[in-house]
Amino acid sequence: MNADYFSRIHATRYVLAHDDGQAQPGLMEAHVVLVGVSRSSKTPTCFYLANRGIKAANVPLVPNTPVPTGLLEVKCPVIGLTLAPEALIDIRRHRLRLIGRGGTGIMRQDSTDYVDEDAVKAELLWARRFCTAQGWPTIDVTRRSIEETAATVLQLMDAWHERQDKPANGATE
């Protein structure tokens, strides 16, 4: 056991505590925050990053819902995850089948906005526009593995840190 091991354990505990928008005051401790609509691979990507010692929080983006407290004030990169509407609908339909429709309070899968093509397209468009308005980069995860998505997150984190380290207004030291 060494420092890297304990860093991974600490990061994993952080991910567990900050999954799906939980423990919002702790967002300021994050190394990165992933945002996106439901079922856009935020959680598995965060766990993969935690195995690298990265404290990654994830926050769902839900249209017509207030932006979570503290999300716009974080001092780390915020990265949006998105995917093709058809892929998202397939993932969501599969999820509905897995959790079952009987007695769970979930509507028939063909009658809910959760898998309605127009509603899903509108949700994804809203999320992409929201990220763009905040200046947050997005990653299309449609045909990416979790490892590929995490590698791109790490690259975007490096680029973000490089921009933060540059003197303002092109001034030299």
Side-chain angles (χ1 to χ4, degrees):
M1 290 197 266
N2 59 22
D4 288 340
Y5 171 81
F6 289 106
S7 176
R8 290 192 310 270
I9 296 299
H10 185 67
T12 300
R13 287 182 179 155
Y14 182 87
V15 169
L16 286 167
H18 297 84
D19 185 41
D20 207 24
Q22 298 179 79
Q24 292 174 10
L27 287 178
M28 290 300 192
E29 298 172 33
H31 297 143
V32 64
V33 177
L34 302 182
V35 298
V37 300
S38 173
R39 313 317 303 167
S40 58
S41 300
K42 298 179 305 292
T43 297
T45 303
C46 285
F47 276 105
Y48 186 88
L49 291 166
N51 197 43
R52 305 276 309 262
I54 309 275
K55 291 194 291 185
N58 80 72
V59 176
L61 294 180
V62 182
N64 304 315
T65 302
V67 176
T69 306
L71 179 60
L72 301 177
E73 287 82 35
V74 296
K75 304 294 185 213
C76 68
V78 178
I79 300 168
L81 302 184
T82 190
L83 63 163
E86 302 79 20
L88 181 57
I89 290 168
D90 286 345
I91 291 166
R92 287 178 173 184
R93 280 191 179 136
H94 180 70
R95 178 173 188 249
L96 289 175
R97 281 192 299 273
L98 285 177
I99 62 176
R101 288 175 259 150
T104 63
I106 294 176
M107 299 166 56
R108 278 188 41 225
Q109 67 185 49
D110 60 350
S111 65
T112 176
D113 285 349
Y114 191 64
V115 293
D116 177 77
E117 183 176 1
D118 291 334
V120 169
K121 285 179 179 179
E123 181 183 4
L124 287 166
L125 179 62
W126 173 84
R128 188 179 301 260
R129 286 181 174 165
F130 181 78
C131 288
T132 299
Q134 305 310 315
W136 301 334
T138 58
I139 302 170
D140 186 332
V141 301
T142 304
R143 300 197 189 290
R144 290 180 189 248
S145 67
I146 298 302
E147 296 85 356
E148 291 170 316
T149 300
T152 303
V153 167
L154 292 171
Q155 290 171 349
L156 290 170
M157 288 175 66
D158 287 344
W160 185 89
H161 286 291
E162 285 178 19
R163 285 191 305 277
Q164 301 307 306
D165 292 341
K166 285 188 179 178
N169 300 323
T172 57
E173 296 179 16

